[in-house]
Amino acid sequence: MSTAIAIVPLRNLCRVQKFLPLAASPPPWSLPLGRRTIYHGDYRRPGQTRDNRWPWQKINFDFSKGVEGIRKHFGLLKDEFVQRWKGPEGRPLLEIMLEQTRVLWDFRGPGSLENWIVSSDREIGGRSEAYLKLGRNSTTCLLYGTLCSVPPRDGETRYSGYCTMRSSQPKGSFDRKKHYDLSSFNTLHLRVRGDGRPWMINVGAETYFSHQKDDIYSYFLYTRGGPYWQDVKIPFSKFFLSSRGRIQDDQHSLWLDKVNTIGFTLGDKADGPFQLEIDFIGVCNDPAHNEDFAYEVYKRNPNV
Amino acid sequence: MNSARRLLQTQYFRCLAAAPNYRASVQHVVFAHPPRRTSLSQLQWPRSFHGSPGCSQNRPVTTAVGQGGEKKEKSLVTYDELFEQVARDAKSKATFNRVVDIFSKRDVRRRGHVEFIYAALKKMPEFGVERDIAVYNKLLDVFPKEVLVARNFIQRMFNHYPRQQECGVQVLEQMENYGIMPNVETKVLLVQIFGDKSHPVRKYQRLMYWFPKFKHANPFPVPRDLPQDPVDLARLSLGRIANDLDSTTTVYQMPSTDLSETGEEISLPHIVGTQSPDQRSLLAKHNPSRPVFVEGPLPLWLRGTCVYYYVLRADPPPPEEKVEEPCDPELFGPGQSIFYPLVVDLALDRDLGDDYSFDVDDVEEGVVYAMCMTGQGDQATLGRWISGLQETNPILGQIPTLFRLESGPRELQGASETPRGPDIEAEPRTMEHEPFPEEEHQHSQGMKQ
């Protein structure tokens, strides 16, 4: 899908200034929660030295880690075998067939934050900060921090200022990829409390080719602000395809049978503190909504 | 797009008219417009330079920069200095336009226009013209017309004049970032400069496709220009967060400055509060032995500006105090009449298995009784708000009121610049029941009976 990008690869707005090469050690990004994996972290900052290690040099051969991994993965494997007796995914078949709503994530207790990856434009050299913690009664998730949209002075980066939170990809035993199958639902349901800033919800689905790995389906999450909770229902048909921050020309509807991640991004260029409190993230089946895709999919003239 | 086509047509006819072999049928169209100069230099169609229809008047080709302009052209041209030089006294739209005019008149060939446009794009927020579509059009007008248009399919294939096209896309991208919708004039200019199906025209088409789609996507729109008066701003933001049409917004105190006996100025900040009838009835049912809390300041963002509000709320009631609303036996259960039921829970489109509720525990939170915004978030001012609330809620006289105030908005903004860990965030909760030591006021006990 991203082959259809017709955007001109823009050169630098400003001339590349002479920058000092950074030290060989990786920069001390202090992200509080899990860092991005090798697969995701293919962005190399301008001026950063290339990682010349061999792939096996990056692997941590640790005995205790191996034992822990064996225990975890064989436990998962056992679960996968045993759960089949009950039904798919360990739930009775009747429950799956009749369900109209499903709660994907709720934040009840400290263990619920482990599956989330928080990052900000620190990765590209910006100055925003984002943290994730549990809310007052340990029943909500509070994403807070400071947004700063001053671009890093590396001569190439032109825009900066984002903070994002993304769920990690579900994995089965032996790190096999698993996906959320949401094909029986058509609406995303969130219960959030923001501070009036607009956010963007990004849904990442499984793709076939590797050049589609940055494909993301996005829609806006407008928060009202104030002390009250806000129930937001967004039909999945409204999500539009974008790749690397650019809306794509040929749009496709989001295929819900293999959903990998869901994320929240803030980048509204209003510098200052922000916060977003999330109660739960669920999906539901809205029978009144029968739209497949909200945007034109036919060949348009002019073919933009 | 009719007007665009007409504009293009007229431009095309002008070109034809300048050429020697124009047809007679064209002529009357040409003379509907003011006849252009027909000097010999104009006859070199199609490679001559043409202005846009907006500036088709005779343009004296003079170097109007002044004395400094001549020298600078020999050296490496820095266009930032041109802006600084012209707009030394005032930075406004007029001076920005003057700089663009000076550049356009300096050289027929518009040498260095890409660099100039990049410099101008950077200077736009400084001059306060970043939201002005006319200025963007004027900037696009700097590009020479019809020179950069691809003339055969090979040129079209191989990214004709890439630097210029990137520059044109950059102008459009800055418009996109500021949320400016291009207009017909932009399109005409782009087609004239780069030709149709060029990258800037594509970018224009994308903007025109996606911008109207998301123009009204926000269900809670914020006006572009917020009111300057703090009381009006407080009304607007309280009406936004209250989310209740029944709620009444009261101005408890207008901002004013008084002179005390000793001669020093006392400025009274504004206090604007809101409360809905539901909140009032909930507050009337509040157990007077349990305190209510004034919390804040809580941030609210309206586009680029941040305002702070305070809430009056209670803690969640402990489980032993929770009063189950007694069900009216006449409404539910066997007590109600079979023939004339008062409540019918029946939806024809709902099947037996349909359950649209979510399987999550409710978040236990205290009830919000009122909200307010004030110019000065200290305990004395908020105490004045509480005493103002007492007029409509007499029960507040019996309920103890505690102030859980965090550091004010100014300190918050200062603290945002310093690195701030998650451990600091939990700190203000520890000082809940302690009064502010510096407040020598009647409410400084933190308790109000």
Side-chain angles (χ1 to χ4, degrees):
Chain A
M1 292 172 192
S2 47
T3 48
I5 285 194
I7 258 284
V8 185
L10 292 164
R11 294 245 182 90
N12 334 330
L13 178 57
C14 43
R15 299 260 58 84
V16 179
Q17 291 168 356
K18 199 161 173 73
F19 47 76
L20 292 170
L22 295 177
S25 62
W29 302 329
S30 53
L31 295 178
L33 288 177
R35 286 177 54 178
R36 306 180 111 198
T37 57
I38 298 169
Y39 177 74
H40 287 111
D42 56 353
Y43 175 76
R44 194 166 60 90
R45 281 183 57 192
Q48 192 180 346
T49 49
R50 198 179 287 276
D51 189 5
N52 281 328
R53 291 179 299 164
W54 293 100
W56 57 84
Q57 285 173 325
K58 296 174 189 165
I59 300 174
N60 178 16
F61 292 103
D62 190 8
F63 184 73
S64 61
K65 186 181 160 230
V67 171
E68 196 181 309
I70 285 176
R71 189 175 295 155
K72 178 186 160 202
H73 289 301
F74 277 96
L76 283 173
L77 191 67
K78 193 198 90 186
D79 281 350
E80 279 172 25
F81 275 108
V82 174
Q83 279 176 358
R84 294 285 168 89
W85 291 104
K86 257 183 150 179
E89 299 166 26
R91 293 187 300 153
L93 188 65
L94 202 66
E95 188 190 314
I96 287 185
M97 285 171 70
L98 287 181
E99 71 180 348
Q100 304 281 339
T101 58
R102 190 194 292 174
V103 178
L104 293 180
W105 291 276
D106 57 348
F107 300 92
R108 309 279 183 266
S112 53
L113 297 185
E114 285 169 6
N115 301 328
W116 293 88
I117 300 167
V118 178
S119 71
S120 65
D121 58 13
R122 290 253 160 141
E123 297 190 350
I124 61 164
R127 291 189 223 147
S128 304
E129 295 167 33
Y131 304 100
L132 187 66
K133 70 169 185 186
L134 282 176
R136 270 193 182 178
N137 304 327
S138 295
T139 50
T140 53
C141 136
L142 182 65
L143 176 64
Y144 67 100
T146 325
L147 192 76
C148 176
S149 56
V150 178
R153 298 174 63 87
D154 55 12
E156 284 184 28
T157 315
R158 289 182 301 152
Y159 307 118
S160 176
Y162 67 85
C163 291
T164 179
M165 168 174 128
R166 191 177 192 182
S167 71
S168 58
Q169 162 115 38
K171 293 217 172 123
S173 61
F174 302 108
D175 282 345
R176 285 174 303 127
K177 274 199 224 167
K178 273 165 65 179
H179 315 282
Y180 295 103
D181 184 3
L182 308 178
S183 47
S184 54
F185 307 100
N186 64 3
T187 306
L188 184 71
H189 192 116
L190 307 151
R191 209 160 124 81
V192 295
R193 176 161 60 184
D195 55 355
R197 291 196 188 227
W199 287 72
M200 183 160 257
I201 299 183
N202 306 309
V203 177
E206 181 67 13
T207 50
Y208 190 80
F209 297 107
S210 64
H211 71 261
Q212 297 168 330
K213 75 181 164 67
D214 294 320
D215 283 8
I216 251 179
Y217 292 85
S218 320
Y219 198 70
F220 313 104
L221 168 69
Y222 294 103
T223 57
R224 179 186 273 278
Y228 300 123
W229 287 100
Q230 179 189 350
D231 277 297
V232 185
K233 281 172 79 173
I234 303 174
F236 282 118
S237 64
K238 295 225 174 206
F239 281 76
F240 53 84
L241 173 65
S242 63
S243 179
R244 300 196 164 210
R246 304 268 178 195
I247 300 188
Q248 296 301 296
D249 283 347
D250 55 343
Q251 292 283 327
H252 300 278
S253 61
L254 168 62
W255 288 358
L256 287 168
D257 53 344
K258 283 182 177 178
V259 170
N260 285 338
T261 60
I262 185 168
F264 299 88
T265 305
L266 175 73
D268 64 345
K269 291 178 194 149
D271 293 357
F274 67 89
Q275 63 179 32
L276 178 74
E277 208 170 346
I278 305 174
D279 181 4
F280 71 88
I281 302 166
V283 282
C284 65
N285 185 19
D286 185 2
H289 185 82
N290 52 7
E291 187 183 49
D292 285 333
F293 195 49
Y295 312 102
E296 286 88 338
V297 285
Y298 52 83
K299 199 167 171 64
R300 293 182 296 281
N301 188 21
N303 184 15
V304 180
Chain B
M1 259 336 106
N2 262 338
S3 48
R5 199 168 300 137
R6 271 198 56 192
L7 275 171
L8 274 176
Q9 263 174 1
T10 51
Q11 190 69 15
Y12 179 59
F13 283 135
R14 276 180 199 167
C15 298
L16 278 185
N21 54 347
Y22 61 90
R23 285 172 296 163
S25 60
V26 174
Q27 206 169 8
H28 70 276
V29 183
V30 173
F31 289 128
H33 301 278
R36 295 190 65 191
R37 55 213 159 132
T38 50
S39 64
L40 272 179
S41 66
Q42 279 288 308
L43 299 184
Q44 307 162 352
W45 189 76
R47 287 312 297 261
S48 65
F49 280 82
H50 295 270
S52 83
C55 358
S56 59
Q57 270 69 40
N58 284 0
R59 188 180 288 160
V61 188
T62 51
T63 50
V65 199
Q67 288 78 23
E70 308 271 335
K71 278 181 221 156
K72 212 171 278 162
E73 279 192 40
K74 285 171 195 159
S75 66
L76 201 75
V77 185
T78 49
Y79 294 101
D80 284 355
E81 278 179 24
L82 183 62
F83 279 96
E84 295 300 328
Q85 197 184 341
V86 173
R88 199 173 295 138
D89 42 349
K91 292 188 171 178
S92 66
K93 185 181 171 183
T95 49
F96 191 90
N97 284 341
R98 239 180 75 216
V99 178
V100 179
D101 280 338
I102 285 171
F103 177 80
S104 311
K105 284 170 188 169
R106 181 194 268 179
D107 185 5
V108 219
R109 293 170 190 80
R110 309 272 168 88
R111 187 159 288 157
H113 60 270
V114 171
E115 287 80 6
F116 173 75
I117 289 172
Y118 278 139
L121 281 181
K122 266 193 157 177
K123 287 277 172 191
M124 279 178 99
E126 228 172 89
F127 283 74
V129 289
E130 74 273 16
R131 295 192 187 283
D132 201 333
I133 178 67
V135 175
Y136 282 101
N137 285 340
K138 197 168 175 60
L139 210 54
L140 280 176
D141 202 15
V142 171
F143 279 110
K145 312 288 173 311
E146 294 176 19
V147 189
L148 313 175
V149 181
R151 285 193 287 172
N152 51 41
F153 73 96
I154 295 178
Q155 288 181 347
R156 204 164 290 131
M157 212 159 52
F158 281 105
N159 206 5
H160 200 47
Y161 283 103
R163 294 266 291 133
Q164 280 80 358
Q165 289 206 34
E166 279 169 18
C167 183
V169 170
Q170 188 58 43
V171 175
L172 287 167
E173 194 169 306
Q174 184 157 339
M175 291 169 75
E176 181 189 0
N177 286 343
Y178 285 107
I180 313 294
M181 183 105 154
N183 58 9
V184 176
E185 201 188 334
T186 318
K187 177 170 187 175
V188 172
L189 279 167
L190 286 174
V191 169
Q192 273 183 341
I193 297 164
F194 299 108
D196 57 345
K197 300 193 177 178
S198 59
H199 290 299
V201 173
R202 290 294 197 208
K203 177 81 187 173
Y204 164 83
Q205 286 167 335
R206 283 186 195 110
L207 286 187
M208 297 301 277
Y209 179 73
W210 287 108
F211 260 23
K213 281 202 186 308
F214 301 133
K215 202 173 181 181
H216 303 292
N218 192 348
F220 320 112
V222 187
R224 166 68 67 190
D225 298 316
L226 291 173
Q228 292 295 320
D229 184 26
V231 178
D232 286 345
L233 184 65
R235 268 178 201 280
L236 175 85
S237 28
L238 283 176
R240 178 184 164 97
I241 60 178
N243 192 13
D244 191 351
L245 292 179
D246 293 335
S247 61
T248 47
T249 306
T250 320
V251 182
Y252 292 101
Q253 184 173 295
M254 287 297 277
S256 57
T257 46
D258 281 348
L259 273 176
S260 67
E261 304 89 38
T262 52
E264 54 195 64
E265 280 195 0
I266 305 169
S267 61
L268 292 173
H270 65 280
I271 306 173
V272 185
T274 183
Q275 199 181 29
S276 68
D278 292 344
Q279 286 171 333
R280 215 166 290 142
S281 62
L282 279 172
L283 183 54
K285 281 185 215 157
H286 185 86
N287 181 3
S289 62
R290 303 192 66 82
V292 289
F293 300 96
V294 177
E295 287 185 5
L298 305 167
L300 169 73
W301 284 88
L302 303 165
R303 274 186 207 273
T305 55
C306 187
V307 292
Y308 292 87
Y309 63 94
Y310 298 83
V311 294
L312 177 72
R313 77 184 317 160
D315 265 350
E320 67 270 10
E321 265 190 37
K322 257 181 219 165
V323 191
E324 287 293 322
E325 284 286 318
C327 260
D328 193 353
E330 291 194 355
L331 290 182
F332 300 99
Q336 78 165 333
S337 163
I338 297 171
F339 303 106
Y340 300 103
L342 294 174
V343 173
V344 181
D345 187 20
L346 184 69
L348 290 177
D349 56 345
R350 200 169 56 190
D351 206 346
L352 281 177
D354 286 357
D355 179 16
Y356 294 111
S357 60
F358 283 89
D359 182 22
V360 279
D361 308 330
D362 285 338
V363 176
E364 296 276 327
E365 278 196 342
V367 193
V368 176
Y369 291 131
M371 288 177 277
C372 92
M373 283 177 69
T374 173
Q376 196 178 328
D378 55 358
Q379 207 167 331
T381 317
L382 292 169
R384 235 168 284 148
W385 170 51
I386 297 296
S387 49
L389 268 179
Q390 270 190 38
E391 292 174 11
T392 48
N393 304 281
I395 194 171
L396 266 180
Q398 308 158 23
I399 304 174
T401 310
L402 296 181
F403 290 88
R404 284 177 184 168
L405 301 180
E406 296 174 16
S407 51
R410 289 217 187 92
E411 288 89 338
L412 264 182
Q413 277 165 4
S416 66
E417 285 157 18
T418 57
R420 192 169 181 194
D423 46 345
I424 305 176
E425 203 65 14
E427 188 189 49
R429 307 271 307 129
T430 57
M431 44 187 264
E432 278 169 16
H433 299 281
E434 288 169 12
F436 277 82
E438 66 265 22
E439 288 294 326
E440 298 286 308
H441 198 260
Q442 186 192 352
H443 306 294
S444 66
Q445 277 83 25
M447 259 325 166
K448 195 157 90 65
Q449 291 296 334

